[in-house]
Amino acid sequence: MKHSVPFQQVDVFSAVPFKGNPVAVVLDGNGLPKERMQAIANWTNLSETTFVCQPTDPRADYRLRIFTPRNELLFAGHPTIGSAYAVLRNGLKPKTEGRLVQECGKGLVSIDIDGDRLFLTLPKPALRDIPAGELAEVAKALGVPMQSVRARATVDVGVAWMTLQLSDAEEVRRLVPDMSRIAALTPPGVSGVTVFGLAPAGARPQIEVRSFAPIEGVPEDPVCGSGNGCVAALVRQFRLIEEPAYVASQGRCVGRDGRVEVRFRDDGTILLGGHAVTCIQGTLRLESG
């Protein structure tokens, strides 16, 4: 038996089609087994594919399941923003005006609707040190000397990244990492390596970011929400930027031009978001039975 479900492919962290990071959004994942979801995610071959389902928590507007081409994630940033954009475009009315609540493997995630932009409340980050020997090997895999590495930690925001600050934004853009070595050095439970560098004083955007996840089948993520969330956690922890908000650039090294906006609240929470735009809209044909 064949049936169709609504589908969108949304470009995230860009208002311009084809300049952000795409996520495939299946707008009715109810009844699909995990194996079928994983097969669809493998077929779309995007960094993430999501499935919108009925929530199990009455406080949530919907439940989201998130898959890379290889496995399911508890949470991810750009799929959260892109899926929220897709459900609103598909006609979902939030239970609370101006705010969506997403249920996912990490729990409930609040998403503020700020005009034509969406901002998620980042799950509370957990930071742990990167052992010196491991850090030295990661630096070699990135092709940078150890003295270039500044702030660093493995940061978990529902997705964990080894997160390293390099000397400046230009050094980040020049990187030509050894993907096979990065894959071999990525510990279990960690997606990969995110690096960032500060732009010169007064420049906008203020930070350049790149994220490498070859173990997940994504050598370089064009514009990574969770990676930027990990960067934001280090920026706050080490007071790298004094302003209560900043904009990060990501994707120019792979032909994109994403902008990730970060806001710090006085209560310690971090908001992360930006624009999104639908590039493909239609139906996905499925077989069942």
Side-chain angles (χ1 to χ4, degrees):
M1 181 179 178
K2 297 181 175 65
H3 69 285
S4 297
V5 296
F7 171 88
Q8 291 183 38
Q9 186 165 306
V10 178
D11 226 12
V12 185
F13 301 127
S14 174
V16 180
F18 318 120
K19 288 297 185 181
N21 195 3
V23 58
V25 185
V26 179
L27 285 154
D28 181 4
N30 295 301
L32 285 177
K34 178 178 180 178
E35 294 75 17
R36 179 64 60 84
M37 292 180 178
Q38 186 64 74
I40 293 169
N42 180 267
W43 172 76
T44 67
N45 201 34
L46 296 176
S47 58
E48 282 96 4
T49 298
T50 68
F51 299 83
V52 180
C53 304
Q54 287 293 323
T56 61
D57 189 313
R59 296 170 293 177
D61 290 287
Y62 57 92
R63 181 165 62 98
L64 196 69
R65 298 187 68 177
I66 306 167
F67 290 79
T68 74
R70 296 183 181 177
N71 54 56
E72 185 171 7
L73 301 177
L74 298 179
F75 167 80
H78 102 270
T80 293
I81 296 293
S83 299
Y85 180 86
V87 299
L88 290 170
R89 186 181 173 92
N90 198 52
L92 184 143
K93 302 298 181 185
K95 293 179 179 179
T96 302
E97 186 177 355
R99 182 168 64 94
L100 287 167
V101 177
Q102 171 188 289
E103 179 185 349
C104 61
K106 191 64 176 175
L108 297 181
V109 176
S110 177
I111 304 157
D112 290 350
I113 304 168
D114 183 3
D116 57 357
R117 294 173 297 172
L118 296 167
F119 288 85
L120 63 86
T121 298
L122 194 71
K124 185 176 180 180
L127 281 68
R128 64 179 186 272
D129 290 338
I130 302 173
E134 185 177 334
L135 182 64
E137 289 301 315
V138 171
K140 287 181 184 177
L142 292 170
V144 298
M146 272 294 291
Q147 57 263 36
S148 289
V149 180
R150 311 293 173 82
R152 69 270 191 168
T154 294
V155 185
D156 190 340
V157 293
V159 179
W161 291 87
M162 288 186 284
T163 309
L164 283 65
Q165 179 194 7
L166 301 185
S167 56
D168 56 35
E170 183 56 37
E171 184 171 37
V172 171
R173 286 190 285 267
R174 289 198 307 263
L175 290 178
V176 183
D178 184 330
M179 293 297 178
S180 62
R181 291 185 72 180
I182 287 178
L185 291 166
T186 301
V190 176
S191 288
V193 178
T194 286
V195 297
F196 70 100
L198 300 181
R204 296 292 185 273
Q206 294 101 312
I207 290 181
E208 187 76 25
V209 178
R210 294 178 72 183
S211 301
F212 309 110
I215 199 169
E216 298 284 359
V218 186
E220 181 162 0
D221 197 325
V223 198
C224 182
S226 61
N228 273 276
C230 295
V231 169
L234 286 190
V235 169
R236 163 161 271 177
Q237 178 80 9
F238 294 98
R239 299 183 179 180
L240 301 177
I241 291 178
E242 295 299 328
E243 294 90 345
Y246 71 83
V247 178
S249 170
Q250 189 173 6
R252 283 183 284 182
C253 295
V254 289
R256 311 293 175 84
D257 192 19
R259 294 291 185 272
V260 180
E261 300 180 44
V262 173
R263 300 172 179 175
F264 298 118
R265 284 182 172 165
D266 292 339
D267 64 3
T269 58
I270 298 172
L271 299 185
L272 182 147
H275 290 93
V277 59
T278 296
C279 295
I280 300 171
Q281 182 169 335
T283 58
L284 189 68
R285 190 178 184 187
L286 302 174
E287 292 188 3
S288 60

